[in-house]
Amino acid sequence: MTFRSQLKIRFGDIDRAGIVYYPRFMHYFHVAMEEFFINELNIQYHEVIDKHRIGLPTVHLETDFSKPFSYGDDIEVEVVVQNVGNTSITFGYRVFKQGDTQPRIVGHNVTVCLDMNTFKKMQIPGWLRERLEAQL
Amino acid sequence: MTFRSQLKIRFGDIDRAGIVYYPRFMHYFHVAMEEFFINELNIQYHEVIDKHRIGLPTVHLETDFSKPFSYGDDIEVEVVVQNVGNTSITFGYRVFKQGDTQPRIVGHNVTVCLDMNTFKKMQIPGWLRERLEAQL
Amino acid sequence: MTFRSQLKIRFGDIDRAGIVYYPRFMHYFHVAMEEFFINELNIQYHEVIDKHRIGLPTVHLETDFSKPFSYGDDIEVEVVVQNVGNTSITFGYRVFKQGDTQPRIVGHNVTVCLDMNTFKKMQIPGWLRERLEAQL
Amino acid sequence: MTFRSQLKIRFGDIDRAGIVYYPRFMHYFHVAMEEFFINELNIQYHEVIDKHRIGLPTVHLETDFSKPFSYGDDIEVEVVVQNVGNTSITFGYRVFKQGDTQPRIVGHNVTVCLDMNTFKKMQIPGWLRERLEAQL
């Protein structure tokens, strides 16, 4: 069973065209990733940053949007680990309207493991790699 | 002449009711304050934080909104210094649609001077106090 | 028992000073109000707008912030109805760190009942007044 | 000369890692596109939506981020028209730190021309196609 984060579209997420402002989906992806960390990887994302001093900035993203979302739609954001490289992690995302079988949005983000003290790339540490690979 | 920051309302600032989502005005206030620092106090706000290690968190705010703004409205956010206390600074804000003489939004924020290294209140340093008082 | 909405502070809610960017609290207030509508008033807020064509723009707000919040803090936003006028509704908000007995943020918003078709003030309709007054 | 929009990174655009929260770049892209419309296509984007009743939702985006931005960085967002299809327009974006010759972010968005009254795809109208093709 892949992980899904249940989110609600909020009043302020809507743009002048009456649909969700597309940058908000990048925010939803991040929120869902934060939920994925605590629910699936068994660590709070703020501990990754503040305690382990590891950052995961996005270096590449691709997203397809096939149908807009409106205020009042309840959504599910699916998060999967698609690849674990030496220093990079690729997260896959799909956004469903609750109850739908077809996603309306499909994307992935390549993130890179960063030492927050030096802001340099680093190898994914063993404890994190193990948990990520268990998701493949 | 009081300082005014020229801002544009953006496509993504609109809410489901078709007007500017009111938390965005608090963001506009902050943006206008950042412009006020460089234009009137002669220092970049990021230097205040990063170089002088001073933060100015809001501890009290009051705002009146008399008329909404729509996408396409160009606005002017007036910033004034209303009070300089021992550790606190009160900024006043008024938001005008360009060309209007009456503001649609009037508010003020009390901020407190914080030592960013200790996160404790501190006296406003002389160099900042001087520049602020010159605005009264 | 007053209503409380459980929210998480998100990675992107933090500002350059390392604490929650204060306009985000206005967003949290709105999110909590949306939750209050469905949980306490028994109607989705999007139905108020889209079906009943009623908007509730904020015309006055006051907020006190006594202590900042950081990434990783779980919060509870309490929502109460403080006043029901002829055309206005005042919502009270208090924000707690989970487990705390003292709120860190206390505020209220006066909103006005707006006919979304004409954008003119209107009397609060009976069905809504009843539900709001039951909360006083 | 390609069009560039001058933007400032704001205090509230920063995330817990101390760099610009990446969804903000999607917002910057949109802001730069709004500026591109008035400066290069000679029409306000809000007129496209409100007067011509045309929307341009993003259906595909790809972005590469090679270096993060910090608070205090002034940026230039370059906007070009990369392709004009029957119903789609592809905008290319590059984000530079002011003074740099190499962009830190390179991306493009495919948008689709939507009739805002029916929310159905439509052919790009002649007046808009002409202006877009003049940019190729």
Side-chain angles (χ1 to χ4, degrees):
Chain A
M1 266 298 287
T2 53
F3 174 75
R4 290 190 180 186
S5 181
Q6 317 293 318
L7 299 176
K8 289 186 187 180
I9 288 169
R10 298 300 181 179
F11 182 74
D13 293 344
I14 299 303
D15 64 24
R16 182 61 192 91
I19 59 177
V20 174
Y21 187 48
Y22 82 84
R24 293 302 287 171
F25 289 112
M26 306 295 115
H27 175 63
Y28 296 165
F29 285 2
H30 205 285
V31 167
M33 189 191 73
E34 295 174 48
E35 290 300 306
F36 178 80
F37 266 78
I38 185 58
N39 284 285
E40 297 293 315
L41 303 186
N42 206 26
I43 185 168
Q44 295 279 7
Y45 192 63
H46 62 87
E47 292 183 296
V48 177
I49 294 169
D50 292 335
K51 195 174 134 197
H52 295 278
R53 305 293 298 147
I54 293 171
L56 293 175
T58 293
V59 294
H60 177 72
L61 67 84
E62 279 185 57
T63 313
D64 287 288
F65 307 79
S66 61
K67 207 177 162 186
F69 284 95
S70 304
Y71 183 46
D73 287 341
D74 290 329
I75 62 176
E76 296 185 347
V77 182
E78 184 186 87
V79 185
V80 296
V81 177
Q82 287 186 341
N83 188 61
V84 184
N86 192 31
T87 60
S88 75
I89 309 160
T90 304
F91 294 97
Y93 298 99
R94 296 199 300 167
V95 187
F96 297 81
K97 184 170 168 166
Q98 269 180 30
D100 282 4
T101 51
Q102 292 301 313
R104 294 190 184 183
I105 299 177
V106 177
H108 65 266
N109 279 23
V110 183
T111 65
V112 79
C113 197
L114 214 67
D115 180 325
M116 289 288 292
N117 295 319
T118 62
F119 258 74
K120 298 220 178 296
K121 253 193 240 188
M122 59 179 278
Q123 291 208 347
I124 301 163
W127 66 265
L128 180 54
R129 171 177 299 279
E130 246 172 63
R131 299 182 200 192
L132 289 163
E133 288 180 346
Q135 296 283 331
L136 288 172
Chain B
M1 265 300 286
T2 52
F3 174 75
R4 290 191 181 185
S5 181
Q6 317 294 318
L7 300 176
K8 289 186 187 180
I9 288 168
R10 298 300 181 179
F11 182 74
D13 294 343
I14 300 303
D15 64 24
R16 182 62 192 92
I19 59 176
V20 173
Y21 187 47
Y22 83 85
R24 293 302 287 171
F25 289 112
M26 308 295 116
H27 175 63
Y28 296 165
F29 285 1
H30 206 285
V31 167
M33 189 191 73
E34 295 174 49
E35 290 300 306
F36 178 80
F37 266 78
I38 185 57
N39 285 284
E40 298 293 314
L41 304 185
N42 206 27
I43 186 168
Q44 295 277 8
Y45 192 63
H46 62 87
E47 291 183 296
V48 177
I49 294 169
D50 291 335
K51 194 174 134 195
H52 295 279
R53 304 294 299 145
I54 293 172
L56 292 176
T58 292
V59 293
H60 177 72
L61 67 84
E62 280 185 56
T63 313
D64 285 288
F65 306 78
S66 62
K67 208 177 160 184
F69 284 95
S70 302
Y71 182 47
D73 288 339
D74 290 329
I75 62 175
E76 295 185 348
V77 182
E78 184 186 88
V79 185
V80 297
V81 177
Q82 287 186 341
N83 189 61
V84 184
N86 193 32
T87 59
S88 74
I89 308 160
T90 305
F91 294 97
Y93 298 99
R94 297 198 300 168
V95 187
F96 297 81
K97 183 169 172 171
Q98 270 179 30
D100 281 4
T101 51
Q102 291 302 312
R104 294 190 184 182
I105 299 178
V106 176
H108 65 266
N109 279 24
V110 183
T111 66
V112 79
C113 198
L114 215 65
D115 180 326
M116 289 289 291
N117 295 319
T118 61
F119 258 74
K120 297 220 179 296
K121 251 194 243 190
M122 60 179 278
Q123 290 208 346
I124 300 163
W127 66 266
L128 180 55
R129 171 178 299 280
E130 247 171 63
R131 299 182 200 194
L132 289 164
E133 287 179 346
Q135 296 282 332
L136 287 172
Chain C
M1 265 301 283
T2 52
F3 174 76
R4 290 190 180 187
S5 181
Q6 317 294 317
L7 299 176
K8 289 186 187 180
I9 288 169
R10 298 300 181 179
F11 182 75
D13 294 343
I14 300 302
D15 63 26
R16 181 62 192 91
I19 59 176
V20 174
Y21 187 47
Y22 83 84
R24 293 303 288 172
F25 290 112
M26 307 295 116
H27 175 64
Y28 296 166
F29 285 2
H30 205 287
V31 167
M33 190 191 74
E34 296 174 49
E35 289 301 305
F36 178 79
F37 265 78
I38 185 57
N39 285 284
E40 297 293 314
L41 303 186
N42 207 27
I43 184 168
Q44 295 278 8
Y45 192 63
H46 62 86
E47 292 183 296
V48 176
I49 294 168
D50 291 335
K51 194 174 134 197
H52 294 278
R53 304 292 299 146
I54 292 172
L56 292 176
T58 292
V59 293
H60 177 73
L61 65 84
E62 280 184 56
T63 313
D64 286 287
F65 307 79
S66 61
K67 209 178 161 184
F69 284 95
S70 303
Y71 183 46
D73 287 340
D74 291 328
I75 62 176
E76 295 185 348
V77 183
E78 184 187 88
V79 185
V80 297
V81 176
Q82 287 186 341
N83 188 60
V84 185
N86 194 31
T87 59
S88 74
I89 307 160
T90 304
F91 293 97
Y93 298 99
R94 296 198 301 166
V95 187
F96 297 81
K97 183 169 170 169
Q98 269 179 32
D100 282 3
T101 52
Q102 292 302 312
R104 295 190 183 183
I105 299 176
V106 177
H108 66 267
N109 280 24
V110 183
T111 64
V112 79
C113 197
L114 214 67
D115 180 326
M116 290 289 291
N117 295 319
T118 62
F119 259 73
K120 298 219 178 298
K121 251 193 244 190
M122 59 178 280
Q123 291 208 345
I124 301 163
W127 66 266
L128 180 54
R129 171 178 298 280
E130 247 172 61
R131 298 182 200 192
L132 289 164
E133 288 180 346
Q135 296 282 332
L136 288 172
Chain D
M1 266 299 286
T2 52
F3 174 76
R4 290 190 180 186
S5 182
Q6 317 294 317
L7 299 176
K8 289 186 186 178
I9 288 169
R10 298 300 181 180
F11 182 75
D13 293 344
I14 300 302
D15 64 24
R16 181 63 191 92
I19 58 176
V20 174
Y21 187 47
Y22 82 84
R24 292 303 286 172
F25 289 112
M26 309 294 116
H27 175 64
Y28 296 165
F29 286 1
H30 205 286
V31 168
M33 189 191 73
E34 295 174 49
E35 290 299 307
F36 178 80
F37 267 77
I38 184 57
N39 285 284
E40 298 293 315
L41 304 186
N42 206 27
I43 185 167
Q44 295 279 8
Y45 192 63
H46 61 88
E47 291 183 296
V48 176
I49 294 169
D50 291 335
K51 194 173 133 197
H52 294 278
R53 305 293 298 146
I54 292 172
L56 292 175
T58 292
V59 293
H60 177 72
L61 66 84
E62 279 185 56
T63 312
D64 286 288
F65 307 78
S66 62
K67 207 178 162 187
F69 285 96
S70 303
Y71 182 47
D73 287 340
D74 290 328
I75 62 176
E76 295 185 348
V77 182
E78 183 186 88
V79 185
V80 296
V81 176
Q82 287 186 342
N83 188 60
V84 184
N86 193 32
T87 60
S88 75
I89 308 161
T90 304
F91 294 97
Y93 298 99
R94 297 199 300 167
V95 187
F96 297 81
K97 184 169 169 167
Q98 270 179 29
D100 282 4
T101 51
Q102 291 302 313
R104 295 191 183 181
I105 299 177
V106 176
H108 65 265
N109 279 25
V110 183
T111 65
V112 79
C113 197
L114 214 66
D115 180 326
M116 289 290 291
N117 295 319
T118 61
F119 259 74
K120 297 220 179 296
K121 251 194 243 189
M122 60 180 277
Q123 291 208 347
I124 301 164
W127 65 266
L128 180 54
R129 171 178 298 279
E130 248 171 62
R131 300 182 199 193
L132 289 164
E133 287 179 347
Q135 297 283 330
L136 288 172

